[in-house]
């Protein structure tokens, strides 16, 4: 008997990033809204056809988004803050204003906050609900439009929407009302949506509820149950549409019994990250209910081991009738690239180990059909050891001891030494690292990569840009400078390309947020550094000025979290290998006169387990020491900075302090500086630079706006510990807006100094 198959979601940026480029042209008014929508329609049709041609039984619709599905859901429900709707823009323009801000004739508004989506590198827009918010479902909304669009093309789909509980759980509330106050209206809206879809011929609706994999309190459980009792009851009153509850990124141990008793027609469980999912179905699973079993990894790119997957499926079928088991992906395929067919430069011996989104469709169908030839071929693939070993690296790891993770002297003594040596003013100003990457910068890098210019020409161009960047920062009056990172395409790929043990794809693009796409490198074997990676650029930059220029590195945990990791050794071991490699670079920078070294850990929280009980044992107990391993051997005179962005750090703030950096800069502006309370409560000793403006928006902050942010910071942070900086790197911004924003940033710091001297 052949099992049925399902896919939670498909990539949407386009195999050649068509959505990114079309959106950016639209923002510049180079194409019309209709032209952008045409590109979007082509991408949706491509995804549906690929899945249908592969033989997937349950194909999702509404998994497409111009920016983010949480933002889509807010617009679906009419939960759009008035500051955006009052701009008087078109619906799509209003949508983009909410996602990345707006500054123009219609007004000046900041974007909604942006956070990491659970334990991934994808970012979602945080909905904002106020006391005046009224959910109002549009009759001809995105979910219905895309279902009808698929149907018109001959594709039968399962409309999928982020569920009411997850939407309310992740939203922010600006008034006195909380999630429970919106529950009844949300239930009504979701039931109405299901009824409308049924009228259009939809047989299924799927509610995605990944928030159920968090630790769930009794009150949260009651909220979830009350929402779905009403939704299911209202749907069953007037329609026969079937209801699926889809979960992913973990297991739902806290609400499993309630989920099973509510009467869903299908329940989706993650059997990869859901440590207890198998144990839960062993206890019980409702009869006549489909199990969407997430067994194919939606977050990593390695080919599945069919023997192991079949063993898991056989175990599942002991507790769920075979006819009720649907093989699916563990989560949306949004988190992996489109296809290995675009990888023309990778050797077949390497490429055969990879399964991107389209190859995962084949994996699902192979497992569902039990194809003997495919099973035999897969068995051969896993019969030999793949990864390359480095005995020197493994020896170095085995010889590590406690002293390798502890920096001497202690923080307070180092702080005194550095303040005396650097003589920086109160509220020192700096940037996070990168400066705008213009077309000329990208063209220079591409030409060197293609071999159409010499290394001498490449270096000469970059040195000219570095000199210009240093001169601009001096003109603006910044206190601690950066070299601009014109040689870097990506903060992880740049380092991975110079480390042994890594391999790279040509077109392995995945969406990080909106139009921002990244191409994660792949850890293929043991990692080591064979030569300096940044020293020449930092040394050249420092020679251009009397001011301090920061050396800029990416930390081991972020490199790991933003790579596709190995699955044959632990994440801890991979992080320590990376830490030893980056430590060599840190010590080389120090030896060459670089006095401040920034080791970015933007993704520190990204792989933090979703359940509190696992935080230390499964992650922080090795992630924090990995960072300390990088800098523990530097001199007390050398100042170590790090940077973190677009995650919630409040609840691990003490662990961040334990990283023992000298200065930490945080993304903070989109989160309304909420991290300040956590810093004060934890008696945070590290000097801090909470970002004073959002670099993901083209708007230029005023001096008054930045001064107001700094004044708010000073209520929580000691004045001699406060740095002034943007939220993140400036790579994606334009030259004009960058210069204007930094000019205002420096002026704001000067104004504050004058008040505090």
């Amino acid at each position: 008997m052949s099992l049925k198959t399902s896919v939670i979601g498909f990539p949407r940026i386009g195999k050649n990033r068509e959505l990114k480029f079309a959106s950016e042209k639209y923002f510049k008014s180079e194409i019309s809204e209709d032209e952008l929508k045409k590109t979007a329609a082509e991408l949706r049709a491509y995804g549906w056809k690929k899945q249908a041609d592969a033989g997937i039984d349950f194909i999702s619709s509404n998994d497409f988004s111009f920016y983010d599905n949480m933002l889509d859901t807010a617009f679906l429900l009419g939960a759009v803050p008035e500051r955006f709707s009052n701009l008087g823009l078109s619906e799509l323009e209003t949508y983009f204003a909410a996602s990345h801000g707006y500054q123009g004739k219609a007004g000046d508004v900041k974007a909604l906050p942006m956070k990491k989506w659970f334990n991934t590198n994808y970012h979602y827009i945080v909905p904002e609900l106020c006391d005046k918010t009224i959910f109002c479902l549009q009759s001809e909304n995105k979910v219905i439009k895309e279902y009808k669009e698929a149907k018109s093309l001959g594709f039968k789909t399962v409309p999928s929407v982020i569920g009411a509980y997850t939407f309310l759980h992740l939203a922010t509330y600006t008034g006195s009302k909380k999630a429970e106050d919106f529950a009844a209206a949300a239930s009504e809206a979701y039931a109405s949506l299901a009824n409308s879809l049924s009228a259009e011929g939809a047989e299924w609706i799927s509610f995605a509820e990944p928030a159920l994999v968090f630790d769930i309190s009794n009150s949260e459980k009651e909220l979830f149950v009350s929402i779905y009792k009403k939704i299911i009851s209202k749907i069953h009153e007037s329609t026969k549409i079937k209801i699926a509850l889809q979960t992913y990124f973990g297991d739902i141990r806290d609400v499993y019994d309630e989920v099973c008793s509510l009467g869903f027609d299908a329940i989706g469980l993650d059997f990869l990250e859901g440590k207890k999912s198998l144990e839960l179905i062993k206890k019980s699973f409702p009869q006549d209910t489909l199990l969407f079993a997430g067994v194919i990894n939606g977050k990593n790119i390695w080919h599945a081991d069919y023997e192991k997957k079949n063993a898991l499926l056989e175990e599942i079928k002991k507790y769920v009738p075979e006819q009720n088991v649907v093989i699916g992906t563990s989560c949306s395929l949004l988190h992996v690239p489109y296809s290995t067919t675009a990888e023309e430069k990778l050797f077949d011996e390497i490429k055969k180990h990879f399964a991107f989104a389209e190859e995962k469709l084949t994996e699902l169908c192979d497992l569902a059909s039990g194809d003997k030839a495919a099973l035999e071929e897969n068995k051969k693939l896993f019969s030999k050891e793949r990864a390359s070993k480095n005995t020197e690296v493994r020896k170095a790891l085995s010889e590590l001891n406690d002293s390798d993770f502890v920096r001497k002297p202690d923080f307070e003594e180092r702080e005194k030494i550095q303040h005396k040596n650097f003589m920086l003013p109160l509220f020192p100003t700096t940037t996070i690292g990168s400066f705008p990457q213009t077309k000329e910068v990208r063209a220079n890098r591409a030409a060197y990569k293609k071999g159409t210019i010499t290394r001498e020409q490449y270096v000469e161009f970059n040195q000219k840009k570095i000199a210009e960047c240093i001169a601009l920062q001096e003109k603006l009056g910044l206190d601690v400078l950066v070299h601009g990172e014109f040689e870097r395409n990506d903060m992880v790929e740049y380092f991975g390309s110079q480390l042994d043990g890594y391999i790279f794809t040509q077109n392995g693009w995945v969406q990080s947020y909106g139009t921002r796409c990244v191409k994660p490198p792949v850890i293929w074997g043991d990692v080591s550094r064979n030569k300096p990676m940044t020293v020449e650029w930092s040394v050249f930059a420092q020679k251009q000025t009397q001011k301090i220029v920061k050396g800029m590195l990416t930390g081991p945990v972020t490199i790991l979290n933003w790579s596709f990791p190995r699955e044959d050794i632990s994440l801890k071991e991979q992080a320590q290998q990376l830490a030893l490699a980056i430590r060599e670079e840190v010590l080389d920078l120090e030896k060459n006169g670089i006095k401040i070294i920034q080791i970015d850990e933007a993704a520190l929280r990204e792989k933090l387990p979703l359940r509190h009980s696992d935080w230390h044992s499964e992650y922080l107990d090795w992630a924090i020491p990995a960072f300390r391993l990088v800098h523990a051997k530097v001199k007390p005179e050398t100042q170590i900075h790090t940077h973190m962005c677009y995650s919630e750090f409040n609840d691990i703030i003490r662990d961040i302090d334990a990283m023992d950096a000298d200065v930490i800069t945080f993304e903070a502006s989109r989160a309304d500086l909420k991290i300040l309370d956590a810093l004060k409560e934890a008696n945070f000793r590290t000097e801090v630079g909470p970002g004073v403006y959002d670099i993901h928006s083209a708007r230029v902050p005023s001096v008054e706006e930045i001064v107001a942010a700094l004044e708010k910071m000073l209520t929580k942070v000691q004045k001699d510990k406060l740095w002034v900086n943007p939220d993140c790197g400036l790579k994606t911004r334009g030259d004009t807006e960058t210069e204007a924003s930094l000019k205002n940033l420096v002026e704001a710091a000067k104004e504050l100094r004058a008040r505090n001297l």
Side-chain angles (χ1 to χ4, degrees):
M1 175 181 176
S2 182
L3 301 175
K4 290 190 179 296
T5 54
S6 72
V7 173
I8 295 174
F10 200 72
R12 61 200 185 208
I13 59 172
K15 288 183 76 170
N16 297 302
R17 293 177 289 163
E18 291 91 341
L19 183 62
K20 168 187 171 65
F21 297 126
S23 296
E24 289 173 348
K25 286 181 179 179
Y26 171 73
F27 299 153
K28 297 174 184 176
S29 300
E30 294 175 3
I31 64 171
S32 67
E33 186 172 309
D34 286 343
E35 288 174 294
L36 175 60
K37 288 179 176 179
K38 181 175 181 292
T39 298
E42 290 169 352
L43 295 176
R44 288 192 292 269
Y46 177 89
W48 292 326
K49 187 174 189 306
K50 275 292 175 184
Q51 293 173 81
D53 288 350
I56 301 300
D57 298 293
F58 293 89
I59 300 171
S60 293
S61 57
N62 194 49
D63 53 341
F64 174 84
S65 179
F66 279 111
Y67 205 93
D68 169 58
N69 291 123
M70 279 291 285
L71 184 61
D72 294 344
T73 308
F75 272 71
L76 169 72
L77 297 171
V80 183
E82 287 184 349
R83 64 182 180 277
F84 301 111
S85 56
N86 288 345
L87 291 171
L89 304 173
S90 72
E91 183 180 6
L92 189 60
E93 289 172 327
T94 304
Y95 176 88
F96 283 127
S99 63
H100 53 64
Y102 177 88
Q103 192 170 45
K105 293 180 180 179
D108 183 357
V109 290
K110 293 182 182 180
L112 288 169
M114 183 161 59
K115 293 180 181 178
K116 288 288 178 72
W117 181 243
F118 293 80
N119 55 1
T120 74
N121 184 31
Y122 177 75
H123 305 63
Y124 73 97
I125 299 294
V126 183
E128 180 185 294
L129 305 181
C130 70
D131 288 351
K132 295 194 295 182
T133 301
I134 298 174
F135 290 162
C136 180
L137 193 73
Q138 296 176 341
S139 57
E140 188 69 7
N141 56 62
K142 178 181 181 292
V143 186
I144 293 172
K145 285 179 183 177
E146 292 184 13
Y147 170 76
K148 290 168 66 176
E149 181 183 330
K151 187 178 179 181
S152 71
L153 295 172
F155 304 116
K156 186 169 75 171
T157 62
V158 177
S160 176
V161 62
I162 290 173
Y165 175 79
T166 293
F167 180 81
L168 294 176
H169 185 80
L170 298 180
T172 56
Y173 299 86
T174 61
S176 59
K177 290 184 178 180
K178 300 302 177 188
E180 53 269 24
D181 298 307
F182 293 94
S187 300
E188 190 72 40
Y190 277 79
S192 176
L193 175 65
N195 291 339
S196 297
L197 284 166
S198 180
E200 296 294 342
E203 298 176 11
W204 283 89
I205 183 170
S206 177
F207 297 120
E209 290 289 6
L212 295 180
V213 306
F214 287 127
D215 294 310
I216 304 291
S217 67
N218 287 333
S219 61
E220 288 169 336
K221 187 187 300 186
E222 289 171 7
L223 176 63
F224 166 74
V225 171
S226 68
I227 286 171
Y228 277 96
K229 274 186 175 178
K230 291 174 184 174
I231 289 176
I232 293 171
S233 173
K234 288 181 178 294
I235 290 174
H236 287 168
E237 282 176 7
S238 54
T239 180
K240 292 183 179 179
I241 194 170
K242 294 180 180 179
I243 310 165
L245 181 83
Q246 183 65 62
T247 67
Y248 39 87
F249 301 144
D251 62 65
I252 60 169
R253 68 189 77 165
D254 295 339
V255 291
Y256 181 76
D257 291 340
E258 288 75 14
V259 165
C260 289
S261 66
L262 279 166
F264 291 104
D265 298 290
I267 298 170
L269 301 178
D270 181 349
F271 285 88
L272 269 73
E273 293 187 270
K275 293 188 297 183
K276 291 187 177 292
S277 292
L278 188 59
E279 182 182 320
L280 291 171
I281 65 165
K282 284 181 180 180
K283 182 172 64 173
S284 66
F285 191 78
Q287 289 186 345
D288 302 323
T289 301
L290 296 186
L291 171 65
F292 287 92
V295 299
I296 292 296
N297 195 333
K299 291 166 67 174
N300 210 346
I301 48 81
W302 301 105
H303 211 308
D305 184 333
Y306 287 178
E307 276 194 334
K308 290 182 178 178
K309 298 301 178 185
N310 277 325
L312 173 59
L313 288 168
E314 287 304 312
E315 193 69 18
I316 289 170
K317 287 187 286 186
K318 290 179 182 178
Y319 309 100
V320 180
E322 185 171 355
Q323 67 272 18
N324 290 348
V325 177
V326 179
I327 304 178
T329 53
S330 65
C331 62
S332 171
L333 298 179
L334 167 73
H335 308 290
V336 294
Y338 270 82
S339 175
T340 63
T341 58
E343 303 304 321
E344 298 169 352
K345 294 183 180 180
L346 283 179
F347 293 119
D348 288 342
E349 280 301 305
I350 291 175
K351 193 160 59 173
K352 69 182 182 181
H353 290 278
F354 295 161
F356 295 175
E358 292 177 16
E359 289 73 38
K360 289 181 188 294
L361 304 180
T362 301
E363 289 185 329
L364 286 169
C365 294
D366 284 348
L367 290 170
S369 65
D371 185 299
K372 291 184 179 178
L375 292 172
E376 191 58 36
E377 191 65 29
N378 183 267
K379 190 174 182 178
K380 292 178 185 176
L381 184 67
F382 283 87
S383 63
K384 297 179 181 179
E385 188 173 25
R386 171 191 55 76
S388 58
K389 291 183 179 179
N390 184 315
T391 54
E392 289 185 10
V393 170
R394 297 193 174 199
K395 181 174 183 289
L397 287 182
S398 69
E399 293 174 349
L400 289 175
N401 57 55
D402 291 347
S403 67
D404 290 302
F405 299 90
V406 180
R407 189 176 175 196
K408 297 290 182 67
D410 62 20
F411 175 84
E412 287 75 15
E413 186 63 28
R414 297 197 314 263
E415 188 175 39
K416 292 175 186 176
I417 294 169
Q418 292 162 12
H419 280 197
K420 181 180 177 182
N421 288 354
F422 295 160
M423 298 294 289
L424 292 170
L426 204 59
F427 315 124
T429 56
T430 189
T431 64
I432 302 306
S434 58
F435 264 64
Q437 297 259 324
T438 62
K439 287 182 180 179
E440 293 76 19
V441 170
R442 295 194 298 272
N444 177 62
R445 195 164 54 236
Y448 176 56
K449 193 173 182 180
K450 292 176 183 175
T452 56
I453 62 172
T454 64
R455 172 166 172 76
E456 289 73 20
Q457 290 172 303
Y458 170 73
V459 170
E460 182 182 0
F461 176 91
N462 280 338
Q463 288 182 342
K464 180 174 179 289
K465 294 298 296 183
I466 290 170
E468 291 172 355
C469 185
I470 295 293
L472 172 62
Q473 293 172 82
E474 288 189 317
K475 183 185 83 170
L476 292 169
L478 287 158
D479 300 305
V480 175
L481 314 186
V482 297
H483 77 280
E485 302 182 14
F486 303 107
E487 78 284 5
R488 304 184 192 185
N489 47 359
D490 175 85
M491 65 184 291
V492 171
E493 184 175 349
Y494 175 77
F495 290 97
S497 65
Q498 299 181 80
L499 292 170
D500 291 338
Y502 265 93
I503 57 174
F504 291 83
T505 62
Q506 287 170 268
N507 294 289
W509 296 101
V510 295
Q511 185 181 28
S512 179
Y513 61 84
T515 60
R516 169 70 170 155
C517 301
V518 295
K519 188 152 58 74
V522 181
I523 304 179
W524 178 259
D526 290 339
V527 175
S528 62
R529 189 193 78 144
N530 57 55
K531 63 181 179 180
M533 301 178 284
T534 67
V535 175
E536 67 170 313
W537 306 113
S538 293
V539 169
F540 176 82
Q542 186 62 78
K543 287 179 179 178
Q544 311 307 305
T545 180
Q546 295 299 310
K547 291 189 173 183
I548 297 173
V549 178
K550 290 190 285 189
M552 303 299 305
L553 305 173
T554 304
V557 180
T558 293
I559 294 178
L560 174 63
N561 286 348
W562 286 355
S563 302
F564 289 121
R566 293 166 62 176
E567 295 181 340
D568 59 325
I569 65 172
S570 70
L571 293 175
K572 175 182 177 179
E573 186 173 345
Q574 292 174 77
Q576 288 187 342
Q577 289 183 6
L578 285 161
L580 289 176
I582 301 301
R583 182 174 75 173
E584 291 179 22
E585 189 73 14
V586 167
L587 295 176
D588 268 351
L589 285 168
E590 183 182 63
K591 185 170 62 178
N592 282 275
I594 304 304
K595 298 175 182 177
I596 296 181
I597 302 171
Q598 183 170 307
I599 309 163
D600 287 342
E601 284 292 14
L604 177 73
R605 193 191 164 107
E606 189 165 299
K607 292 295 187 291
L608 188 73
L610 299 177
R611 293 185 176 275
H612 291 199
S613 58
D614 298 331
W615 281 7
H616 282 272
S617 61
E618 293 189 6
Y619 185 68
L620 291 173
D621 284 352
W622 60 259
I624 301 299
F627 181 84
R628 292 203 302 261
L629 178 60
V630 172
H631 70 79
K633 299 299 183 183
V634 301
K635 300 172 184 176
E637 294 83 3
T638 300
Q639 192 173 76
I640 298 296
H641 290 219
T642 190
H643 172 70
M644 300 178 186
C645 56
Y646 292 100
S647 285
E648 296 176 84
F649 297 111
N650 301 17
D651 46 11
I652 59 167
I653 205 70
R654 287 183 173 84
D655 297 286
I656 292 171
D657 214 8
M659 293 168 71
D660 204 20
D662 300 304
V663 179
I664 297 183
T665 53
F666 290 98
E667 174 277 322
S669 65
R670 276 201 176 194
D672 196 29
L673 301 174
K674 291 178 181 177
I675 196 170
L676 297 175
D677 292 326
L679 294 174
K680 186 173 183 179
E681 184 181 338
N683 294 314
F684 201 71
R685 65 176 183 174
T686 314
E687 295 182 24
V688 294
V692 296
Y693 76 90
D694 176 23
I695 64 87
H696 294 87
S697 172
R699 65 181 297 276
V700 175
S702 66
V703 174
E704 294 75 20
E705 180 183 322
I706 297 174
V707 167
L710 291 170
E711 287 175 335
K712 186 174 181 180
M713 293 176 192
L714 284 172
T715 65
K716 311 288 184 180
V717 179
Q718 297 174 33
K719 66 181 182 181
D720 59 347
K721 287 184 176 286
L722 182 61
W723 287 64
V724 182
N725 47 264
D727 260 352
C728 203
L730 302 165
K731 180 169 67 174
T732 60
R733 299 273 51 91
D735 286 331
T736 302
E737 72 207 46
T738 293
E739 184 170 347
S741 297
L742 293 179
K743 180 181 178 183
N744 289 350
L745 180 149
V746 171
E747 288 303 313
K750 287 180 178 178
E751 185 174 324
L752 217 59
R753 281 175 202 151
R755 297 182 194 175
N756 284 271
L757 289 177

